Amino acid sequence: MQRITISPGYEISRVIRGGWQLAGGHGVVDHEMAIEDMVAFADAGITTFDCADIYTGVEDLIGRFRLRYRDTRGQAALGRIRVHTKFVPDLGVLPTITKAYVESVIDTSRQRLNLECLDLVQFHWWDYEMPLWLDTLGWLKELQDDGRINKISGTNFDSDHVRSILDAGIPFTSLQLQYSLLDRRPEKRMVALAKRHDIALFCYGTVAGGFLSDRWLGKTEPEHPLENRSLTKYKLIIDDLGGWDLFQALLQSLRKIADRHATDIATIASAAMLRRPGVSAVIVGARNRDHLSSNLAIAGVTLSDVDLAEIEAALIGARELDGDVYTLERDRTGRHGSIMKYNLNKGE
């Protein structure tokens, strides 16, 4: 597994194990098996884990995994493990958020994860019209100065707001954002901004909720309602990009490339993102270790210039998605924003 240093003394695996599928709403989770799965990922070299305060039960599971890994593999091995959590205050909290609230959530994450100092906290803010987002980052910075947070980062902020954050003296180590062969909004401005300020980019959605996989090759266009909110979300991206025929042409191209590398479409789709300028890591959703070998293969695939050119050729005629990073999703009355849940701590 390739590794990368994103800040002095801070190294991560270039494939990050996502924890969302272990949260509530994705079926019953066998906690003991989930911990053993995490051990298997770490042993294989995927030593960076992504979670959030709003992923019900996941911080607790990772905290238990950390203790298990320390006890069975030793303190030195535990030192390679990085846990990236998120701080996502509910939409309803934003107008009256306080430092005490921020502190309580961060302390809860520390307790759950069995970490005195959180490795990296990714801050998300639902509505820019609520003005306390920069104050909240200031409070996170105070907690960093207090030794409770190592790295402050963000998720889903657009270019203008990242620039404002940097101008305010808040050091952003990384930005987690939706970035895939289907969604290239970050290439408009964010990639260049991140490069100028040494901000690492972590990509989620690289397989578009499973659409960028062999499962959908040659299939007829699905009709709403789709089986889950993730598929609904990424089907809207496919629609905006150019529709099902364009998407199928891309899958056909990816299948040919996958044949040359003896792998699958999803692996190629994620491997292609690791080749993008500024991309430090891709986040793979994993409910268990069933696809561990494919996840490991992502960083090992060496795509040629011919491979990359074929991907670009398949996307000729694709429409440019509107807006900057996460702009479409922030319109709560629009097609993209109306399917989001904004008060996740309350289950809304």
Side-chain angles (χ1 to χ4, degrees), residues 230-248:
S230 181
L231 286 176
T232 301
K233 166 186 172 68
Y234 290 108
K235 178 57 167 59
L236 291 174
I237 295 293
I238 291 170
D239 294 344
D240 288 357
L241 191 71
W244 197 251
D245 288 344
L246 176 73
F247 172 65
Q248 283 297 316

Side-chain angles (χ1 to χ4, degrees), residues 34-104:
I35 292 169
E36 289 299 320
D37 287 340
M38 292 181 203
V39 170
F41 270 78
D43 284 348
I46 297 177
T47 57
T48 308
F49 296 80
D50 180 83
C51 59
D53 59 330
I54 56 173
Y55 296 175
T56 304
V58 179
E59 286 183 326
D60 280 316
L61 277 174
I62 294 177
R64 290 170 59 189
F65 150 71
R66 290 187 68 259
L67 296 182
R68 176 78 57 84
Y69 210 68
R70 180 199 64 191
D71 294 343
T72 59
R73 303 296 189 268
Q75 191 65 41
L78 179 63
R80 288 168 59 84
I81 303 299
R82 292 283 180 261
V83 180
H84 298 174
T85 193
K86 300 184 191 73
F87 171 52
V88 187
D90 284 351
L91 179 64
V93 169
L94 305 190
T96 57
I97 194 168
T98 63
K99 180 182 176 181
Y101 175 85
V102 175
E103 189 172 13
S104 70

Side-chain angles (χ1 to χ4, degrees), residues 150-183:
N150 185 356
K151 307 295 182 188
I152 297 175
S153 296
T155 182
N156 295 328
F157 278 91
D158 64 23
S159 302
D160 287 337
H161 287 81
V162 169
R163 187 182 299 278
S164 296
I165 290 164
L166 297 172
D167 288 345
I170 307 295
F172 250 25
T173 298
S174 64
L175 183 71
Q176 185 177 140
L177 73 180
Q178 186 172 302
Y179 190 13
S180 71
L181 295 176
L182 299 176
D183 184 352

